[in-house]
């Protein structure tokens, strides 16, 4: 087991102050703690200044350090050192959390080794680090996920010399084994390879075709390309994550790693061996972290930062294909009055009702985001000004009929004002469209609210 491994940040003895408690509470309010605690991977969350503000129980087990020691930590344990797979020592700025802080980019699947004083050998972990941004685009947290791959590193070394013995080692490591005779096309697999996908060993076939059939259609070409690159000598190893279909019809994420273990006298590959690891839980966590980074926590629509990024892409697409593009800006009429009269919880319910209503009426290609407060925006690709005004009017009428239940069996109704603008020049930017739509929205408000107003950019 991996013990006392800091994983990029940042461990020292400290007391848990009131400020850290508040930050931990903030993390717990955002993350699905029940999911995090059930994961078989360690999860450590850092603040933007690299301080540890949360870790799950599995992380404590793998690190061999208590939460009290980890929370607020700012350095590795004395005498510890990190190295990459090639044995190069890492400087502190190259630790995963510090790289994410400096680059603002995610770091996926980095294998790191730790050398500790008084303990022989290197402990290895597969580490991923992902930034989480607030609605303004500022770095808010860094999420580190990791799991122990020391056994995997050891089995890779054994694989080169004793492929038959590896089969027994992997049985105890919860890894699926495949051993491909390239000349005959036969693929031998162990029982875990089958049970990972919901099958018994007797139910599986020993062919490459069955593996290929199990791989998700969208991943199949990429998986074969990685394997063929190794066979052709263009890549040293096959290492790839892709989806495979479970017997129940769902898809599991598989980490597949393999190498050519035998070649003939001419150097042509004759045998390839590999291992499968189920990494579905880690992928789900990564996807959830990524989702939270791009969506508004209250309504579930895109946050301002992600909306602006998608808006820029839609502008470029409209320029490239000389297509129409329109934008709507929606604002809840007299929203402050709703909050003052019924409370902010009812105001929040109104915003969620607005988001749900718009989602039900929009196309899948439309881009819907919350810009802030009670203000929302909708990008309508391939839509001119007149058609966009019709969409706006349908939304206005739809939302005017919406009802938000409150205590006592009563309901709250609300209306929206909508400004409409369209791209009229290749020089238009997303900011240009938003400014024009905002002026149209102001005109709709000034004209009495609960109406649609259009302007050209």
């Amino acid at each position: 087991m991996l013990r006392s491994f800091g994983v990029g940040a940042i461990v020292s003895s400290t007391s848990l102050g009131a400020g850290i408690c508040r930050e931990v509470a903030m993390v717990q309010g955002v993350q699905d703690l029940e999911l995090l605690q059930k994961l078989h991977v360690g999860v450590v969350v850092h603040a933007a200044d690299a301080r540890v503000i949360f870790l799950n129980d599995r992380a404590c087990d793998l690190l061999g350090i208590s939460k009290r020691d980890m929370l607020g930590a700012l350095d590795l344990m004395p005498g510890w050192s990190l190295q990459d797979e090639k044995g190069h020592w890492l400087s502190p700025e190259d630790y995963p959390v510090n790289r994410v802080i400096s680059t603002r980019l995610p770091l996926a699947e980095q294998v790191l080794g730790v050398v500790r004083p008084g303990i022989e050998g290197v402990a290895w972990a597969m580490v991923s680090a992902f930034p989480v941004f607030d609605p303004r685009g500022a770095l808010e947290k860094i999420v580190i996920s990791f799991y122990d791959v020391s056994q995997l590193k050891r089995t890779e070394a054994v694989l080169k010399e004793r492929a038959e013995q590896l089969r027994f080692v992997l049985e105890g490591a919860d890894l699926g084994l495949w051993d491909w005779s390239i000349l005959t096309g036969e693929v031998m697999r162990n029982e875990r390879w089958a049970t990972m996908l919901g099958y018994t060993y007797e139910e599986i076939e020993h062919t490459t075709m069955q593996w290929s059939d199990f791989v998700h259609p969208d991943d199949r070409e990429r998986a074969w390309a990685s394997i063929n690159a190794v066979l052709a000598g263009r890549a040293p190893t096959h290492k790839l994550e892709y989806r495979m279909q479970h017997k129940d019809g769902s898809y599991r994420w598989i980490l597949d790693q393999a190498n050519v273990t035998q070649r003939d006298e001419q150097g042509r590959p004759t045998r390839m061996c590999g291992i499968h690891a189920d990494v579905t839980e880690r992928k789900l966590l990564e996807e959830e972290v990524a989702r939270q980074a791009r969506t508004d926590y209250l309504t579930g629509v895109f946050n301002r930062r992600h909306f602006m990024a998608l808006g820029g892409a839609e502008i470029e697409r409209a320029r490239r294909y000389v297509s129409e593009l329109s934008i709507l800006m929606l604002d809840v009429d007299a929203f402050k009055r709703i909050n003052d009269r019924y409370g902010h919880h009812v105001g929040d319910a109104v915003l969620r009702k607005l988001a749900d209503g718009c989602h039900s009426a929009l196309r899948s290609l439309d881009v819907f985001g919350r810009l802030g407060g009670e203000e929302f925006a909708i990008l309508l690709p391939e839509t001119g000004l007149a058609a966009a005004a019709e969409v706006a009017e349908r939304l206005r009428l739809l939302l005017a009929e919406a009802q938000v239940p409150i205590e006592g069996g009563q309901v709250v109704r609300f209306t929206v004002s909508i400004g409409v603008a369209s791209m009229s020049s290749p020089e238009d930017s997303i900011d240009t469209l938003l400014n024009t739509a905002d002026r149209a929205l102001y005109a709709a408000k000034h004209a009495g609210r609960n109406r649609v107003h259009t302007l050209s950019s």
Side-chain angles (χ1 to χ4, degrees):
M1 175 179 287
L2 176 66
R3 305 296 296 173
S4 303
F5 184 33
V7 193
I10 329 222
V11 179
S12 65
S13 178
T14 185
S15 61
L16 180 61
I20 296 176
C21 287
R22 287 192 297 271
E23 290 193 82
V24 170
M26 177 186 70
V27 173
Q28 292 174 343
V30 176
Q31 305 291 344
D32 186 344
L33 289 182
E34 184 177 359
L35 171 63
L36 294 181
Q37 298 295 4
K38 289 181 178 179
L39 287 175
H40 295 296
V41 297
V43 178
V44 180
V45 181
H46 300 264
D49 62 358
R51 288 178 300 114
V52 175
I53 58 175
F54 174 81
L55 67 161
N56 67 353
D57 293 339
R58 182 58 174 162
C60 291
D61 292 340
L62 293 174
L63 300 174
I65 297 178
S66 69
K67 289 186 179 180
R68 184 177 184 84
D69 288 335
M70 282 289 290
L71 290 171
L74 287 172
D75 203 354
L76 289 173
M77 293 293 287
W80 288 23
S81 301
L82 295 183
Q83 64 178 228
D84 61 20
E85 287 188 276
K86 296 181 179 180
H88 299 147
W89 299 109
L90 270 64
S91 60
E93 58 264 28
D94 288 327
Y95 295 163
V97 66
N98 294 331
R99 285 183 57 185
V100 172
I101 290 174
S102 62
T103 66
R104 297 169 60 89
L105 297 174
L107 178 69
E109 295 301 324
Q110 183 179 29
V111 178
L112 295 178
V114 60
V115 176
R116 297 152 293 173
I119 300 179
E120 185 178 353
V122 180
W124 294 95
M126 185 78 77
V127 185
S128 294
F130 299 87
V132 178
F133 302 96
D134 65 19
R136 298 181 302 276
L139 181 64
E140 185 177 13
K141 289 180 285 291
I142 304 94
V143 179
I144 307 287
S145 65
F146 62 96
Y147 59 97
D148 185 8
V149 294
S150 297
Q151 176 69 21
L152 181 59
K153 293 289 289 184
R154 288 193 291 271
T155 57
E156 286 177 346
V158 173
L159 181 61
K160 298 177 181 179
E161 299 179 0
R162 299 182 179 180
E164 294 299 325
Q165 183 182 3
L166 177 64
R167 188 172 286 111
F168 299 103
V169 174
L170 295 178
E171 291 296 334
D174 198 34
L175 294 170
L177 168 71
W178 56 273
D179 185 351
W180 178 24
S181 173
I182 299 173
L183 297 180
T184 66
E186 185 179 19
V187 184
M188 297 302 298
R189 302 182 174 101
N190 66 350
E191 185 174 3
R192 181 57 185 141
W193 192 98
T195 59
M196 198 176 292
L197 300 176
Y199 293 91
T200 66
Y201 183 75
E202 291 72 25
E203 288 178 305
I204 63 172
E205 300 173 5
H206 297 285
T207 63
T208 55
M209 183 58 68
Q210 185 177 55
W211 165 79
S212 185
D213 289 342
F214 282 158
V215 177
H216 192 288
D218 293 343
D219 299 339
R220 196 171 296 151
E221 182 178 353
R222 185 166 56 94
W224 270 116
S226 178
I227 289 176
N228 288 331
V230 176
L231 297 179
R234 297 191 302 273
T237 60
H238 162 65
K239 183 177 180 181
L240 192 68
E241 289 182 1
Y242 53 80
R243 293 160 291 179
M244 293 187 72
Q245 189 169 35
H246 193 275
K247 187 177 181 180
D248 64 10
S250 64
Y251 281 92
R252 307 291 294 178
W253 277 97
I254 302 298
L255 170 62
D256 187 6
Q257 300 185 91
N259 205 342
V260 172
T261 56
Q262 288 183 0
R263 295 181 180 272
D264 62 18
E265 294 181 354
Q266 287 73 41
R268 292 171 298 196
T270 60
R271 188 177 184 184
M272 190 175 193
C273 296
I275 51 177
H276 279 187
D278 188 335
V279 295
T280 305
E281 290 182 333
R282 175 181 57 76
K283 294 294 288 189
L284 291 176
L285 176 61
E286 292 172 0
E287 291 170 2
E288 175 60 17
V289 171
R291 185 195 66 79
Q292 292 185 11
R294 64 176 181 266
T295 57
D296 172 58
Y297 74 96
L298 177 64
T299 62
V301 304
F302 292 137
N303 57 31
R304 182 185 184 93
R305 176 176 174 274
H306 194 60
F307 177 86
M308 295 297 286
L310 294 177
E314 289 297 338
I315 289 283
E316 290 300 320
R317 187 176 294 110
R319 287 177 185 150
R320 186 180 308 118
Y321 297 105
V322 195
S323 60
E324 296 179 307
L325 177 66
S326 295
I327 189 169
L328 312 182
M329 287 192 68
L330 295 75
D331 186 287
V332 179
D333 296 326
F335 185 68
K336 183 178 183 301
R337 190 182 307 164
I338 295 175
N339 277 333
D340 292 344
R341 181 174 179 181
Y342 300 105
H344 288 279
H345 67 287
V346 174
D348 290 347
V350 166
L351 297 181
R352 287 192 291 268
K353 178 66 72 171
L354 182 152
D356 292 343
C358 290
H359 264 309
S360 67
L362 294 174
R363 304 168 300 176
S364 60
L365 74 160
D366 298 330
V367 181
F368 184 26
R370 182 184 179 192
L371 301 185
E374 69 273 24
E375 193 170 71
F376 295 79
I378 302 171
L379 277 169
L380 303 174
E382 303 174 13
T383 306
L385 187 63
E390 294 177 2
V391 173
E393 182 63 15
R394 286 200 302 270
L395 290 177
R396 185 189 69 81
L397 295 174
L398 174 68
L399 296 176
E401 295 296 321
Q403 300 180 4
V404 178
I406 59 175
E407 296 178 358
Q410 298 181 341
V411 297
V412 172
R413 295 179 180 274
F414 64 95
T415 61
V416 297
S417 298
I418 305 177
V420 185
S422 290
M423 185 175 177
S424 59
S425 166
E427 304 303 318
D428 286 346
S429 66
I430 184 62
D431 289 325
T432 303
L433 286 179
L434 282 172
N435 289 335
T436 304
D438 189 55
R439 288 189 286 112
L441 174 60
Y442 178 81
K445 292 279 191 182
H446 187 70
R449 301 190 179 96
N450 190 21
R451 64 192 62 222
V452 174
H453 193 87
T454 61
L455 282 176
S456 298
S457 63

